[in-house]
Amino acid sequence: MMVLEGPSGELFLRMDERLARFIIEPSDDVGNEDIAIGWECRGEKAWDETRELLTKRGFDADPVEPVAWCRDSFVCRDPSGFQCEFFYGGAIEPIRNFVSPTGVTFVTEDQAMGHVTVLTPTYEDSVDFYEGILGFHLRESINTSIRASFLSPNLRQHSIGIVASEGPRQLAHVMVEVESLDSVGRAMDQCIEGAAPMTVSLGRHWNDHMTSFYLRTPAAFEVEYGYGGRTVDRATWARVEQRGIGGSSFWGHQIVRDDGSLGPQVGRVSG
Ligand SMILES: [Fe+2]
């Protein structure tokens, strides 16, 4: 990603022509509860309607001071307490062309910036917030000893994964997708050479078909770095449901232990 300094000293990370796709601000929170998730509305009308809808359902939708990266935004806490920033008119940077320092191209535009996966103790309410109130499309669910739902408002197979958890809410990971498998392999090589701890080995998810690995950021959440995710036609999509003891992947995605050895596949219930 390309790094710019924002107007108040925050870091803007660019993935495309947008001024910022990630915004990093200093914080004392190491449990990543302070994280805000941005949801882009198609325009002012959709943004207004979203705000009205949330207010009508009893959520506080508070206006935000003008920011550099969009025309207008408001914040609203989802049932787990994650701050959601609803915005429209995302700012572009027309003068400084996006140039990746490692030469990668990210898959964004009508699939937005990727997906987030959150762990939450308020699983049912959270799924209802994103599906029942906001109208995201429920694409997959897992109902084994793990309960999880995958939803999206756009073409991406999922933009949010919601996983039931007994602990406090937590951002598990953010997924970004690149246009080449070689870019994933090269990033993995960098991790093996010590650039950042790799937490999940290369593998391919059965739900979004993403070939990816995971690394830990200094802020404790993980980044899933992937290639080849599938898109979904909402009109013809038929949801499937995982049963049995299977993990979250066709192959790979083993847990990388601190000593570098590999553990069971992520999400596998036994073994
Ligand atoms: Fe993911």
Side-chain angles (χ1 to χ4, degrees):
M1 294 179 195
M2 189 177 174
V3 184
L4 297 181
E5 193 173 316
S8 315
E10 68 277 62
L11 292 182
F12 283 177
L13 300 190
R14 294 184 63 198
M15 297 168 64
D16 54 15
E17 81 283 0
R18 293 292 178 95
L19 181 61
R21 288 290 191 175
F22 283 83
I23 299 162
I24 302 182
E25 297 170 347
S27 162
D28 295 329
D29 164 43
V30 289
N32 80 44
E33 288 193 355
D34 250 4
I35 223 93
I37 306 167
W39 297 110
E40 182 173 17
C41 301
R42 288 188 194 281
E44 190 170 3
K45 189 165 174 281
W47 180 77
D48 264 337
E49 285 168 0
T50 307
R51 194 169 164 184
E52 257 172 49
L53 195 65
L54 287 166
T55 310
K56 216 180 277 172
R57 296 290 292 260
F59 289 87
D60 290 328
D62 302 319
V64 170
E65 297 283 298
V67 288
W69 52 270
C70 71
R71 175 76 179 79
D72 248 330
S73 65
F74 69 83
V75 296
C76 173
R77 293 214 177 251
D78 78 3
S80 359
F82 282 110
Q83 183 162 302
C84 292
E85 295 182 351
F86 293 91
F87 70 97
Y88 72 95
I92 59 162
E93 167 51 282
I95 297 169
R96 274 172 292 188
N97 194 23
F98 170 72
V99 179
S100 161
T102 58
V104 305
T105 305
F106 290 98
V107 177
T108 56
E109 299 189 348
D110 51 8
Q111 295 188 67
M113 64 179 278
H115 71 236
V116 291
T117 294
V118 298
L119 308 181
T120 173
T122 59
Y123 177 71
E124 278 84 9
D125 288 347
S126 290
V127 174
D128 184 58
F129 179 83
Y130 290 99
E131 185 191 19
I133 300 177
L134 294 177
F136 286 20
H137 193 203
L138 180 63
R139 298 275 162 75
E140 306 283 10
S141 55
I142 298 177
N143 286 298
T144 58
S145 60
I146 296 166
R147 285 187 308 151
S149 289
F150 300 88
L151 308 98
S152 181
N154 60 42
L155 298 177
R156 194 175 279 289
Q157 199 271 346
H158 64 275
S159 300
I160 184 165
I162 301 171
V163 183
S165 151
E166 273 163 23
R169 73 171 185 270
Q170 198 189 331
L171 173 72
H173 69 261
V174 180
M175 193 286 305
V176 293
E177 182 178 2
V178 286
E179 275 188 2
S180 143
L181 182 60
D182 290 337
S183 298
V184 174
R186 287 184 185 126
M188 200 174 77
D189 281 351
Q190 282 195 57
C191 286
I192 290 167
E193 285 160 17
M198 189 164 134
T199 52
V200 176
S201 71
L202 191 70
R204 190 159 182 246
H205 284 300
W206 64 261
N207 59 5
D208 61 0
H209 291 184
M210 197 71 69
T211 301
S212 59
F213 76 100
Y214 295 57
L215 56 146
R216 188 174 298 119
T217 70
F221 66 89
E222 295 178 11
V223 168
E224 178 184 1
Y225 200 70
Y227 158 77
R230 63 171 162 172
T231 57
V232 161
D233 176 355
R234 188 172 180 145
T236 57
W237 176 256
R239 180 154 67 94
V240 295
E241 188 158 313
Q242 179 177 328
R243 295 282 169 89
I245 60 158
S248 58
S249 309
F250 294 133
W251 53 267
H253 284 148
Q254 269 101 9
I255 291 161
V256 182
R257 301 191 183 103
D258 287 344
D259 66 1
S261 66
L262 298 180
Q265 190 186 80
V266 170
R268 191 171 287 281
V269 174
S270 68

